[in-house]
Structures are given as C-alpha cells and as structure tokens.
C-alpha cells in the first residue's frame, strides 16, 4: 500500500511539472523566430526541466547525471524551436506521449499488478525487404517473404497502448516504407494510430510524391535518415549518388515542416567526420535536421568486423565532442553508448521504461544489436496469449536482472556501475555470452555464423578489457568523484 501511495504521489508531481511544459513550449514555438524571446523562454524552462527530472529520478541523485539529463532535454526543446516542426507534431508529442494522463493510469495499473513499470516503447522491424544493400547491415535485407502480417503488427501496437499506455514506437527494417501487407503500408498503420508517434529509421530514398504528401498530413512520423558522413563516406557504404538523393529529400521534408533527423553509425574510420563542425553545421544548421542518433558500430549482421568498433580512446573523444555539441550548440544528438547517463544505462530487454525489439519474423529480441531470441510474437498469439507473455521469458528476465545489478534505478553508483559502458552485448560480452548460453538463446537469421567462432569471441572480450581499463577510470573521475550524491 505504501508503495502504491508513493507511486501515485510521484506521478502527480511529474504531471504537475510536465503540465508546465506545454504552454511554455507552445509560447516558445510562437516566439521562436525572435531570438531574444526564444532565449528568455528557454531560460524559464531550465529550472522546470531540472526539477521534473530530479523528481522522476527517484533514488538516483548524482549531480553530474542530473546535469547530463537536463542538458539533453534542453537540447531537445531548443532543437524543436530552432527547426521547422509542424504544430500538430508538437501537440502529439506533448499531449499523447508526454502528458497523457490516461496512459499514465494504465502504466500505474500495470505496475500495481506486476510489481514493475512496463517498457516505454517497442522497436518493431515489420519487414526485411530493402532497396539498398549497405555494407555490414544487421538486417541483411533482400526479400519480401519475411515480414509481420498487418494483423500482428496492428495487434502489437494496440496491446502496447491498452496494457502499458505506450504511445511511442520505433520502426526499423529493412526499409520500413517498403513494408506492405493486405494492401496496408506503414503510413496506414500511422493513420490508424494518430495518438501515437513513430520514429522511423529509413534510408530516405522513398520519401517523395504521395509518401511525402501523407507524411505532411499525418505529422506523427519522424523519419531518421541514415548517413555515414559527408558525400564520399555515405556513397561508399550506401551506393553512389545516395548522398545527393537524401539531401534533396531532407530539403523537401523541411519545406513541408516535417520534423526529421539523422541516424549515423560511428566506426574507427568515420568517427571524427560525423562529429566535425562541417558535418554538424551541414545537417543541423543548413538542412534543418531536428535530431540525430549516433550508434557505435556493432559487429553483427553481414561480415561482422570487430576492428571497426571505435576504440576506447576514440570513444572517450566522442564522449567529449558529443557533449560539446549538446551543451554548446544545443543540438539533440543522442549517443546510446556515451550518453548512458541520460537513460540510466541499458534500455533493452523490456526494462522498466525501456524497450525491446520484434523483428520481421516475429522474434522477440532484447535489442537490435543483441541478436538472440527465445520467444516469438507469432507463437505467443497462436497460444492465445497477449504481449504480456514476454515478461515470462527467462532470457529477457536475466538481462533485466543484470541491468538492475548494474545500477539501473539504484541510488548507489560506483566503479562497477559504469553507465559509460552500458551495453551487455558490446561492453560486457562475457556476461552476454553467459546469459545466451544458459538460456539457449538462438542467433537469429541474417547474422554471420562467425559470431560463434573463438576468434570473434576473443576479440570482443579483449575489447571489453581495454574498455573497462580506460573508460572505467574516466567514469570514476567524472561521475563518481565529481558527482557526489547530494540527497
């Protein structure tokens, strides 16, 4: 009973502060063309954002982590003001995703019944088909035979909304805009769920004509267009002429007030280019991208190559540079590894407030970059169960247990709870492999069998040892010593 009362009070406090966002953000958007007014509104938002984050953190009260979270949220708000975003998109984001009281009520009911908070979103890859064949792509896309049915795709979304209060979905592939079943497309899914926001990772080549028109009308799809750097680097991995095509697409999106972002994979070869002034200025200031997601190369999919993973030294350079961009330029650029302090570590495996991944064959996977599975959504539905059956999976439970022990939502952080090394698959490979073997998780189709070889395993473990030595010491100095708990 005390837990329920405390949770209700927490929700009430969060809603109180978040309700301040909408009128302030709407006013700021209206004044965003006038720099003095925009800066004044941003200054008013800082203490509101900081207080809201502090309340939502619960027991985690490290001052350095609070600063990271606040600065990232301010970058999100500033990016919304800096770029041209349709007012309808902002309303969906605030009303249906952030300030949805009915959704919060469903989340609370789930928490009371199950003893934990449900995932915050789902990453769904409805189809494997793609019109490109990018080097090292984990999707290994080539066929339209492997895809979720419209019935299953729709049911996943409906059950997530009804059971968990989820109104945000990440869509990947393959190329998501090629998915089609029973004459339904991704645009039809979005149209039938206008109270949801869909972040769609796409190569961008299909965003023209009727698709562009419908995106402008719907306003609930945010395309994240993949680039590898400037023209030479992007064309080298994605195909000659691709860079010019997506630049044209981005100009068209901006002219239609369709919010869009970029998705970038960092390797040992391009890590400096994708964080250079030239790259940032071009995509965010000239072309008008509203956000960016930075992924460190993961050696999975076709021809995995561990030597392409940014080294520990490169990773620390990227940490410094990416936070300079977020704090000084106020650009929303999220790095899922270096910015683990924003998410309290790894978000995968259906963690409270986190997510999990469902691929085109229905495999339920901790994360797109952790390609092992022991359950399938098609089998769950055939057995007469709902999506809540995923919480019965011992494999996902084991990963969530590791997350909890690694500091997720814990009050006490130390040298062994390093959120700059948050990924079990990438940063703690020995642990991930142990969990995979214990629960007989299957490497999903499309991944090179070399991932099971002794050489691959040895490379991954050696990488982690070096990472712990170099990044681990930085974590202790920057976040443990300089971020003493103040409550």
């Amino acid at each position: 009973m005390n837990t329920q009362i405390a949770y209700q009070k927490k929700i009430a406090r969060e809603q109180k502060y978040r309700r301040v966002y909408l009128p302030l953000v709407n006013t700021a958007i209206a004044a965003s063309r006038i720099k003095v007014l925009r800066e004044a509104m941003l200054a008013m938002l800082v203490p509101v954002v900081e207080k809201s984050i502090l309340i939502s953190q619960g027991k985690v009260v490290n001052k350095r982590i609070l600063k990271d979270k606040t600065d990232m949220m301010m970058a999100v708000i500033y990016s919304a003001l800096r770029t041209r975003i349709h007012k309808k998109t902002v309303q969906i984001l605030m009303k249906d995703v952030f300030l949805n009281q009915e959704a919060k009520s469903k989340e609370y009911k789930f928490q009371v019944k199950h003893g934990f908070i449900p995932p915050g979103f789902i990453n769904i890859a409805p189809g494997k088909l793609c019109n490109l064949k990018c080097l090292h792509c984990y999707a290994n896309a080539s066929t339209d035979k492997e895809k979720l049915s419209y019935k299953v795709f729709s049911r996943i979304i409906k059950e997530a909304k009804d059971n968990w209060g989820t109104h945000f979905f990440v869509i990947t592939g393959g190329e998501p805009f090629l998915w089609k079943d029973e004459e339904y497309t991704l645009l039809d899914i979005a149209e039938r769920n206008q109270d949801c926001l869909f972040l769609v990772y796409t190569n961008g080549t299909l965003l023209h004509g009727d698709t562009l028109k419908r995106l402008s009308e719907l306003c609930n799809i945010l395309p994240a267009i993949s680039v590898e750097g400037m023209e030479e680097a992007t064309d080298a991995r994605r195909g000659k002429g691709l860079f010019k095509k997506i630049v044209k697409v981005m100009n068209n999106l901006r002219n239609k007030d369709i919010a869009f972002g970029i998705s970038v994979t960092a390797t040992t070869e391009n890590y400096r280019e994708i964080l250079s002034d030239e790259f940032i200025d071009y995509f965010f200031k000239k072309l008008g991208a509203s956000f960016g997601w930075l992924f460190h190369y993961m050696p999975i999919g076709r021809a995995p190559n561990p030597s392409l993973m940014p080294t520990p030294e490169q990773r620390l350079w990227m940490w410094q540079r990416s936070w300079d961009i977020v704090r000084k330029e106020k650009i929303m650029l999220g790095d899922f590894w270096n910015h683990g302090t924003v998410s309290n570590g790894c978000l995968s495996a259906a963690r409270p407030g986190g997510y999990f991944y469902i691929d085109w064959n229905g495999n339920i996977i901790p994360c797109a970059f952790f390609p092992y599975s022991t359950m399938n959504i098609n089998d769950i539905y055939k057995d007469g169960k709902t999506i809540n059956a995923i919480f019965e999976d011992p494999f996902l439970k084991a990963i969530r247990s590791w997350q909890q022990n690694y500091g997720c939502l814990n009050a006490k952080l130390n040298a062994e709870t390093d959120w700059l090394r948050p990924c079990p698959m990438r940063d703690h490979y020995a642990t991930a492999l142990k969990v995979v073997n214990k629960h007989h998780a299957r490497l999903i189709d499309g991944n090179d069998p070399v991932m099971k070889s002794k050489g691959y395993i040895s490379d991954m473990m050696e990488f982690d040892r070096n990472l712990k030595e170099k990044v681990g010491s930085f974590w202790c100095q920057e976040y443990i010593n300089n971020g003493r708990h103040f409550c």
Side-chain angles (χ1 to χ4, degrees), residues 143-157:
T143 175
D144 190 36
K145 294 180 180 179
E146 297 177 78
K147 63 183 178 182
L148 295 177
S149 69
Y150 169 74
K151 183 178 180 180
V152 168
F153 192 2
S154 298
R155 182 174 173 182
I156 291 168
I157 293 171

Side-chain angles (χ1 to χ4, degrees), residues 186-402:
L186 177 61
L187 294 166
D188 298 317
I189 291 285
E191 184 175 355
R192 284 157 176 74
N193 294 278
Q194 296 223 333
D195 57 346
C196 295
L197 196 64
F198 297 88
L199 172 62
V200 180
Y201 289 94
T202 172
N203 61 43
T205 60
L206 304 177
L207 306 186
H208 53 76
D210 289 341
T211 298
L212 183 67
K213 180 175 182 293
R214 290 189 68 186
L215 287 174
S216 178
E217 294 168 349
L218 291 170
C219 295
N220 66 338
I221 290 179
L222 303 178
I225 300 174
S226 297
V227 295
E228 311 301 330
M230 300 303 288
E231 185 170 7
E232 183 179 352
T234 298
D235 284 2
R237 186 181 182 211
R238 299 190 161 266
K240 188 173 177 57
L242 256 292
F243 186 84
K244 285 185 172 65
K245 286 183 181 179
I246 61 176
V247 166
K248 182 178 179 180
V249 165
M250 289 178 183
N251 281 320
N252 290 337
L253 291 170
R254 185 187 67 250
N255 291 337
K256 292 282 188 179
D257 290 347
I258 300 170
F260 71 92
I262 59 172
S263 172
V264 189
T265 299
T267 70
T268 53
E269 298 172 350
N270 73 345
Y271 75 100
R272 283 188 176 272
E273 179 176 340
I274 61 175
L275 291 172
S276 66
D277 287 337
E278 178 190 16
F279 180 86
I280 297 301
D281 289 348
Y282 185 74
F283 283 100
F284 291 98
K285 297 178 181 180
K286 182 177 180 179
L287 295 180
S290 299
F291 57 89
W293 297 113
L294 198 160
F295 300 90
H296 296 203
Y297 170 75
M298 288 285 285
I300 60 176
R302 289 193 298 266
N305 184 355
S307 70
L308 287 175
M309 294 188 293
T311 67
E313 293 83 3
Q314 292 169 349
R315 191 151 151 173
L316 287 175
W317 181 88
M318 290 169 63
W319 177 91
Q320 182 64 61
R321 175 59 180 151
S322 63
W323 276 117
D324 283 346
I325 293 168
V326 170
R327 292 188 171 111
K328 295 177 182 178
E329 302 290 339
K330 293 184 175 61
I331 289 173
M332 196 267 123
L333 179 64
D335 179 332
F336 283 93
W337 284 262
N338 277 326
H339 298 168
T341 52
V342 177
S343 59
N344 289 16
C346 173
L347 285 168
S348 75
R351 192 195 93 175
Y355 78 103
F356 62 100
Y357 174 55
I358 302 177
D359 77 357
W360 40 82
N361 289 320
N363 293 309
I364 294 170
I365 304 164
C367 166
F369 301 110
F370 194 154
Y372 290 86
S373 178
T374 58
M375 295 187 82
N376 189 290
I377 193 66
N378 295 311
D379 294 336
I380 287 172
Y381 288 159
K382 286 177 183 176
D383 290 342
K385 299 179 180 179
T386 72
I387 200 168
N388 281 342
I390 67 165
F391 302 111
E392 302 168 5
D393 183 12
F395 176 51
L396 296 184
K397 280 184 181 179
I399 298 171
R400 292 197 297 272
S401 177
W402 175 84

Side-chain angles (χ1 to χ4, degrees), residues 442-457:
R442 175 179 54 85
L443 182 66
I444 62 172
D445 295 340
N447 286 278
D448 196 316
V450 75
M451 291 177 62
K452 299 178 181 180
S453 70
K454 291 182 179 179
Y456 178 93
I457 294 170

